[in-house]
Amino acid sequence: MASGGSLLTEEHLLCPICLDVFKKPVSTPCGHNFCLPCISSYWDTTFVSQCPVCKEDFPNRPNLKVNIFIADLLSQFKSLQGLNVHSQRSAGQQPVSCGIEVQCDFCSSQAVKSCLDCVWSYCDGHLQPHDSVSELKRHTLVGPVESLGEKVCRKHRRLMMLFCRNDNTVLCDLCIGSGHANHDVVSVQSGYDDMTLQVLRNEVKVQRMIQERTQKIQNTKESLMQGKTETNKLIENGSWDLTQLVTEIKRTQEELVKVFEEKQKEAENQATDLITDMEKEISCLKVTAKNLEELKELKDPVCFLKRYPNQSLLPHTMDLSTLNFIRHLEVKYMHKSVRNSVCHMQDLLGKLNEELNRFSNSTDTSNKATLRYMQQYGEDIVLDFDTAHPMLTLSADGKQVWYNMGTGLWGNQIPKPNMFTQHLAVVGQRGFSSRRFYFEVHVGQKTEWCLGVATASLQKNGAIVRSPNSGLWAIWFLVDKFETFSSPGEAVHAGKVEHVGVFVDYNGGQVSFFDVVRAVHIYSFTECLFTEELYPYFNPCDNEYGSNLDPMIIVPVSSAE
């Protein structure tokens, strides 16, 4: 065990958080030691259980117990320290803080006293003038103080042992009367403990912000790379499709020319044959006409009858009534058919150009695309009657919920095990985990409502603490602005919405809210750590901000145009 010449000092038994001797020492799984109250308070302010020294994260908050070995060592050390102090006082020496050596300001020896008037620390040799010079005898000597110049009040020449929380400044006992009489003044140690805890909290926040931004940068880079890959793929596929379309159009054009030329040649051949046949018939008919003319000139009956042919006087000819050569009408019909097809294709190309222009010039295209992406994960949500607060009314199909003023007090109702008893809330029947899901809610002209998702273990009996660790990720609408349930009073969006979309990416740690009508992003919780099933959460609220009796309605998922 430690002795007067032992290497063990008080520094080995100081808590890294409060920098004081251990109180109920405990050891974390990573091997570092802390006061049980200090590490418990520290973890109460963080999202994850992390060692303040090595920053190792623990998946579950460790159940720490007092380290008996360190506690016993501390007890024996304090006993030994008491013996050393007693021996020092018996020898007429000023006890020196264990483990802290203050060097003389004039040599390398250890200081035995510090002067508040001179603001110097002295060894035995350099302290002699204060024992012999009358002027120096009136100075105030104290035990050696490290960094004395920073700890002495320049105005009153006294040690600054107090801290003013109002002005965030260090004071001596005489400073209180000059401007700090009604202020919150505590000991320096208390102020140090408070500010150290604040530093630790800020450190946790800064580290979390660094992690969030680092992750956001990584996500942005990944999204950019994915977008670039998709863009290149779209360019390649789109160009190939359009090239194929152009090739097909050219092939169709060539086929059209070929067919029309062949049909025209066929028509010309038919017309030539017809004309030739009819010209031959005309020649025959002319011969027949001449014979008939000669026969008509005979006036003698005997001669006429002897000359009259035994066969028909008319030659065999084509039936002109069966011939209807209207080739131009066929061409006109085909021209109209081709023109209609071309116009239809031009309309399709026009719509494609409109989409491209809208994508190029519109500022909300990204939001619409994001909303369309989320809507593909739409789920049918039905409310759980057993969880509804007694002052809420639900529709028979479990799709609507509203505040019922006429319900009044609970009366003789017996609270159900999973019922909300203070918050005017209800959750969905089904929970979701390890997947994406989306649902939409119509809130109309309501003046107040709260909507989001909650864990199965969310506090239902009594008030829900509005903190990031409550197990509720929700937005709260108040008259004309939005705030998150976990950060009251901090506006995250302004304006009024009638139709809200809620998207959850469980594995991605994200909960997003959209104004479906205008395709406007309202707010997103990111970098969330989900460890249990999530249930849709609805709170129609009361009439505190005006008429608010309209229901919250779960509606079928629409499609962003």
Side-chain angles (χ1 to χ4, degrees):
M1 188 51 62
S3 62
S6 172
L7 296 178
L8 182 64
T9 67
E10 191 178 27
E11 288 182 301
H12 296 95
L13 301 174
L14 297 181
C15 171
I17 295 179
C18 68
L19 301 180
D20 201 355
V21 177
F22 287 124
K23 301 178 185 67
K24 295 183 180 180
V26 293
S27 299
T28 57
C30 60
H32 292 101
N33 305 311
F34 306 89
C35 299
L36 179 58
C38 293
I39 191 65
S40 298
S41 298
Y42 177 78
W43 282 343
D44 288 340
T45 63
T46 61
F47 290 103
V48 295
S49 298
Q50 182 187 72
C51 175
V53 177
C54 67
K55 305 303 181 184
E56 179 178 345
D57 292 336
F58 309 117
N60 297 311
R61 182 165 175 168
N63 184 18
L64 303 178
K65 298 183 181 300
V66 174
N67 188 316
I68 299 176
F69 174 78
I70 297 179
D72 183 61
L73 182 65
L74 179 63
S75 177
Q76 296 188 42
F77 181 84
K78 288 182 176 179
S79 298
L80 179 62
Q81 186 183 40
L83 291 175
N84 289 338
V85 171
H86 177 73
S87 61
Q88 284 181 352
R89 288 177 176 172
S90 299
Q93 298 178 7
Q94 176 74 21
V96 181
S97 297
C98 185
I100 301 177
E101 293 186 359
V102 180
Q103 185 175 327
C104 175
D105 289 323
F106 296 93
C107 66
S108 58
S109 301
Q110 182 177 349
V112 295
K113 292 288 184 180
S114 294
C115 178
L116 300 184
D117 295 273
C118 301
V119 196
W120 296 99
S121 295
Y122 302 98
C123 64
D124 280 325
H126 290 101
L127 184 63
Q128 291 301 321
H130 283 75
D131 295 330
S132 57
V133 179
S134 59
E135 181 70 23
L136 297 179
K137 286 182 179 182
R138 293 193 293 268
H139 287 192
T140 303
L141 298 177
V142 296
V145 179
E146 188 179 21
S147 304
L148 180 63
E150 298 181 7
K151 299 177 181 178
V152 174
C153 175
R154 298 293 182 178
K155 181 178 180 181
H156 301 109
R157 293 295 178 177
R158 299 173 72 89
L159 283 177
M160 294 186 289
M161 303 298 291
L162 302 172
F163 177 73
C164 177
R165 287 173 172 166
N166 299 75
D167 296 332
N168 196 32
T169 184
V170 182
L171 313 169
C172 73
D173 55 346
L174 297 181
C175 291
I176 298 178
S178 55
H180 303 277
N182 298 321
H183 289 187
D184 185 8
V185 178
V186 296
S187 67
V188 165
Q189 186 62 45
S190 296
Y192 173 79
D193 293 342
D194 293 344
M195 301 308 291
T196 300
L197 184 59
Q198 184 64 39
V199 168
L200 290 175
R201 289 174 177 169
N202 288 335
E203 181 185 20
V204 170
K205 290 182 180 179
V206 169
Q207 290 299 327
R208 186 177 70 249
M209 292 170 67
I210 291 174
Q211 291 176 1
E212 290 175 350
R213 281 151 181 77
T214 301
Q215 186 62 45
K216 184 65 70 174
I217 290 174
Q218 181 65 26
N219 293 344
T220 301
K221 289 182 178 179
E222 291 177 358
S223 177
L224 183 61
M225 290 300 297
Q226 182 178 358
K228 184 176 181 180
T229 301
E230 294 294 332
T231 298
N232 291 336
K233 184 177 180 181
L234 176 61
I235 292 174
E236 180 181 353
N237 293 342
S239 298
W240 188 86
D241 290 340
L242 291 175
T243 301
Q244 289 297 109
L245 179 61
V246 172
T247 302
E248 188 68 19
I249 291 175
K250 288 184 177 180
R251 189 191 67 77
T252 302
Q253 180 186 19
E254 294 172 356
E255 184 70 17
L256 183 145
V257 172
K258 179 182 177 182
V259 168
F260 271 77
E261 287 179 346
E262 289 178 351
K263 289 294 183 180
Q264 181 63 27
K265 186 175 182 180
E266 180 182 341
E268 289 176 355
N269 291 335
Q270 290 178 355
T272 299
D273 293 341
L274 180 62
I275 291 172
T276 301
D277 292 340
M278 284 190 294
E279 286 177 344
K280 288 179 180 180
E281 288 185 352
I282 291 173
S283 299
C284 291
L285 289 172
K286 286 181 177 181
V287 172
T288 300
K290 183 178 179 181
N291 293 334
L292 291 174
E293 182 68 26
E294 292 176 353
L295 185 62
K296 187 180 69 172
E297 295 294 330
L298 293 177
K299 302 300 182 180
D300 186 311
V302 174
C303 293
F304 178 86
L305 294 173
K306 290 178 68 176
R307 295 279 301 271
Y308 196 89
N310 294 328
Q311 297 178 348
S312 173
L313 294 175
L314 300 177
H316 178 73
T317 58
M318 296 180 290
D319 185 1
L320 294 181
S321 64
T322 62
L323 299 177
N324 188 19
F325 194 82
I326 50 175
R327 185 63 185 168
H328 69 285
L329 295 179
E330 294 181 6
V331 174
K332 186 175 182 180
Y333 172 78
M334 284 302 301
H335 177 267
K336 182 178 180 181
S337 177
V338 171
R339 183 58 188 169
N340 289 338
S341 298
V342 171
C343 289
H344 181 61
M345 188 177 297
Q346 287 175 336
D347 289 340
L348 294 177
L349 291 175
K351 291 181 179 179
L352 176 59
N353 286 328
E354 288 178 2
E355 287 290 330
L356 292 175
N357 290 333
R358 187 159 54 246
F359 180 77
S360 175
N361 301 323
S362 178
T363 57
D364 62 350
T365 300
S366 177
N367 277 346
K368 287 184 177 179
T370 301
L371 187 56
R372 282 196 295 267
Y373 165 78
M374 294 177 175
Q375 288 171 333
Q376 67 179 316
Y377 296 101
E379 293 287 345
D380 183 24
I381 305 300
V382 179
L383 300 175
D384 185 354
F385 286 74
D386 291 339
T387 65
H389 188 281
M391 296 184 71
L392 295 182
T393 300
L394 276 63
S395 61
D397 60 358
K399 294 290 186 178
Q400 301 184 34
V401 56
W402 61 93
Y403 171 64
N404 190 344
M405 293 181 62
T407 304
L409 299 177
W410 290 25
N412 297 322
Q413 294 192 49
I414 300 176
K416 298 176 182 177
N418 207 29
M419 173 192 290
F420 285 95
T421 60
Q422 183 164 333
H423 284 255
L424 298 171
V426 61
V427 296
Q429 291 181 354
R430 182 162 58 113
F432 300 85
S433 63
S434 302
R435 56 178 292 188
R436 300 182 179 95
F437 66 96
Y438 174 87
F439 60 95
E440 293 183 357
V441 180
H442 182 77
V443 293
Q445 299 301 315
K446 290 180 66 64
T447 55
E448 183 185 10
W449 48 265
C450 187
L451 177 67
V453 293
T455 59
S457 61
L458 176 70
Q459 173 72 30
K460 297 184 178 66
N461 185 11
I464 304 174
V465 179
R466 298 187 66 175
S467 73
N469 300 320
S470 64
L472 176 59
W473 293 266
I475 55 173
W476 199 318
F477 175 73
L478 298 163
V479 184
D480 60 356
K481 65 181 179 180
F482 291 84
E483 62 184 44
T484 63
F485 180 85
S486 57
S487 300
E490 183 178 331
V492 296
H493 187 77
K496 195 177 184 69
V497 301
E498 297 183 3
H499 202 96
V500 185
V502 183
F503 173 75
V504 178
D505 183 351
Y506 191 99
N507 293 331
Q510 176 182 338
V511 181
S512 297
F513 301 86
F514 260 78
D515 178 347
V516 177
V517 176
R518 293 193 292 265
V520 173
H521 175 247
I522 298 174
Y523 184 77
S524 288
F525 295 94
T526 59
E527 307 303 325
C528 304
L529 180 61
F530 303 128
T531 58
E532 53 183 302
E533 285 189 323
L534 299 178
Y535 291 78
Y537 171 93
F538 303 80
N539 185 335
C541 300
D542 55 19
N543 279 356
E544 180 181 357
Y545 294 96
S547 180
N548 193 39
L549 299 181
D550 291 341
M552 298 177 73
I553 306 174
I554 303 171
V555 295
V557 174
S558 57
S559 178
E561 297 297 335

